[in-house]
Amino acid sequence: MCQVDEEYNGQLEHRVTPRVSKKCVKCKENAAVLIIRAGDAFCRGCFKEYFIHKFRAMLGKNRVIFPGEKVLLAVSGGPASSSMLSQVQEGLSRDAPKKLRFVPGIIYIDGNVQMIIAQVALGGASGQSMEERERAVAQLESVFRATNYHYHIVHLEQVLSLPSSVLEAGSSATEKPQTGSSYKAAVDQFIQTRKNQHPDLSVENAQSHLSSLSMQEVEHGGTSPITPEQTQALQRLFASVRTLTAKEDLLHTLRQHLILHTARTQGYTKVMMGDSCSRLAIKLLSNISLGRGASLATDTGFSDPRYGDVVIVRPMRDYSSKEIAYYNRMFDIPSVFIPGLDTKAQDKASIQHLTESFVTKLQTDFPSTVSTIYR
């Protein structure tokens, strides 16, 4: 028999598991309160600084968003998009060392109707009532109102009344050249314009003027009423799609059309999406399975210029879902749970859901799974 304890006890190597009692890897003084990856232990203050710096560095490195541009934040109520909204608020606050210089707006696509669709299309699943749907919208609206940003709450039913022009790519001839020198010139022009418009403001105040936009300067976007006929038409549309994979793909397409149409009609030139690297890794494998490998660069990259006049950017693409969950929990970032199309469905065998389950379970045993797929 193999007698490990008697003959090889001195040669066995014991694996040291990381513990949060160790010191912070950045300040080397405070005790760590969380471990993001093996060897990356942070205290509370250093983790917040690290999280904020990563967001600001992503925007500064790519230099896609120019000063004074109107940027639409696509907020779904989930952890990633809620964290993105918090980072924009942080960057536009008066206490920020280097303030963001764009004009933010918020859009929320009321997708709770998908549960009503699921009740009809997936055979008796218990969907959400209209009262529950309105309650979720009211919770998000209170969060949006607290930001003092212009916001738009768009119901999914409104996609049926969109013009056909939403499917056409807009002209990008007016897009600014994305070079370092032109970006610096745009910054200088922005500051000079603000000084001319407000002679009593200093340069620092001119840079932070956008962060103090009040609700009196912009009119909040309201919710247009929806009719039962529109809801029934949307139900018939989803009922005509047979598989759950196609339903989720259709839902994503309709949401993109609503976001794009709102951005164009309201004068936004950039749209911020809250896709984390965990979500992009799942999207990457799902799109390969769906035969969309040719568009992986635009589907998962920082910027997506395929629509021409409106560019989609993903500033959260370097954050893992674990980092976002830690940040939201530690700093009380509010989020609202919005059920997905397959939340109460009997059959969850969609390509998107199976890919998410596969990547999540593999990530549990092999922590480098998401980063490997993502890179």
Side-chain angles (χ1 to χ4, degrees):
M1 294 179 64
C2 180
Q3 300 175 350
V4 177
D5 293 335
E6 295 181 6
E7 299 179 7
Y8 305 102
N9 188 38
Q11 300 178 11
L12 293 178
E13 295 182 0
H14 298 280
R15 182 180 179 183
V16 179
T17 57
R19 296 178 299 174
V20 295
S21 60
K22 60 190 302 186
K23 294 295 184 181
C24 174
V25 296
K26 187 173 183 181
C27 66
K28 303 292 192 306
E29 296 178 358
N30 300 324
V33 296
L34 76 155
I35 297 177
I36 300 176
R37 293 172 295 272
D40 289 345
F42 290 93
C43 64
R44 180 185 177 91
C46 291
F47 176 65
K48 182 176 183 180
E49 183 179 347
Y50 155 82
F51 198 92
I52 295 175
H53 173 74
K54 184 185 285 191
F55 183 85
R56 302 295 298 276
M58 176 64 71
L59 294 179
K61 178 178 65 176
N62 291 276
R63 291 188 173 183
V64 173
I65 301 176
F66 284 76
E69 277 191 304
K70 295 182 66 177
V71 179
L72 188 63
L73 312 179
V75 179
S76 64
S81 60
S82 299
S83 181
M84 178 184 69
L85 176 60
S86 172
Q87 292 306 301
V88 172
Q89 288 182 271
E90 183 76 24
L92 288 172
S93 65
R94 292 183 178 275
D95 299 332
K98 293 183 179 179
K99 300 176 180 61
L100 300 177
R101 299 186 178 97
F102 56 81
V103 182
I106 304 172
I107 182 172
Y108 168 66
I109 306 298
D110 179 17
N112 276 0
V113 68
Q114 57 192 290
M115 295 307 302
I116 303 175
I117 297 168
Q119 185 175 2
V120 176
L122 299 178
S126 56
Q128 285 191 330
S129 64
M130 185 59 69
E131 291 76 13
E132 292 174 323
R133 180 181 177 185
E134 293 175 351
R135 191 181 305 117
V137 172
Q139 291 177 353
L140 282 170
E141 192 170 5
S142 64
V143 174
F144 299 159
R145 195 177 291 117
T147 63
N148 274 4
Y149 300 155
H150 186 64
Y151 65 86
H152 311 269
I153 296 179
V154 183
H155 298 293
L156 194 61
E157 288 90 337
Q158 294 177 235
V159 75
L160 301 176
S161 59
L162 289 182
S164 59
S165 59
V166 74
L167 302 177
E168 302 174 0
S171 174
S172 59
T174 59
E175 187 177 358
K176 302 178 180 65
Q178 300 175 9
T179 60
S181 59
S182 62
Y183 182 84
K184 184 178 184 303
V187 173
D188 295 338
Q189 182 181 1
F190 168 76
I191 297 175
Q192 187 62 36
T193 301
R194 283 294 170 185
K195 289 178 64 178
N196 294 337
Q197 293 177 353
H198 305 274
D200 56 327
L201 295 179
S202 62
V203 174
E204 290 77 8
N205 289 335
Q207 293 178 355
S208 63
H209 181 70
L210 289 179
S211 63
S212 61
L213 285 175
S214 62
M215 287 187 291
Q216 285 75 22
E217 293 175 301
V218 289
E219 180 183 1
H220 281 285
T223 58
S224 59
I226 55 176
T227 62
E229 290 76 15
Q230 291 176 316
T231 303
Q232 293 173 5
L234 195 60
Q235 289 175 351
R236 290 193 297 269
L237 173 62
F238 276 82
S240 64
V241 182
R242 296 184 178 276
T243 65
L244 187 57
T245 299
K247 283 183 172 66
E248 292 188 2
D249 191 48
L250 175 61
L251 179 62
H252 173 74
T253 302
L254 296 182
R255 282 174 170 170
Q256 287 290 100
H257 287 173
L258 285 172
I259 292 174
L260 186 62
H261 178 70
T262 303
R264 285 173 173 169
T265 55
Q266 300 297 327
Y268 294 95
T269 55
K270 301 292 189 303
V271 175
M272 274 192 184
M273 307 293 289
D275 295 328
S276 64
C277 69
S278 302
R279 178 55 53 188
L280 291 179
I282 296 170
K283 182 187 292 187
L284 187 147
L285 292 183
S286 300
N287 287 355
I288 291 177
S289 303
L290 293 170
R292 296 174 181 165
S295 61
L296 287 182
T298 53
D299 287 336
T300 61
F302 174 79
S303 61
D304 182 357
R306 77 180 82 182
Y307 302 110
D309 54 339
V310 178
V311 178
I312 294 177
V313 295
R314 303 180 179 93
M316 304 294 292
R317 66 190 299 266
D318 275 355
Y319 294 96
S320 66
S321 57
K322 181 179 179 180
E323 292 174 318
I324 294 173
Y326 274 137
Y327 185 84
N328 291 356
R329 178 65 181 271
M330 293 178 65
F331 300 102
D332 299 326
I333 306 301
S335 61
V336 179
F337 172 70
I338 306 297
L341 185 59
D342 59 352
T343 300
K344 297 183 180 181
Q346 298 294 332
D347 180 18
K348 295 187 178 182
S350 68
I351 290 178
Q352 297 89 341
H353 179 80
L354 293 177
T355 303
E356 181 178 1
S357 178
F358 169 73
V359 172
T360 303
K361 292 179 180 178
L362 199 60
Q363 174 74 8
T364 304
D365 297 327
F366 303 95
S368 299
T369 298
V370 168
S371 59
T372 300
I373 299 173
Y374 169 72
R375 296 300 177 187

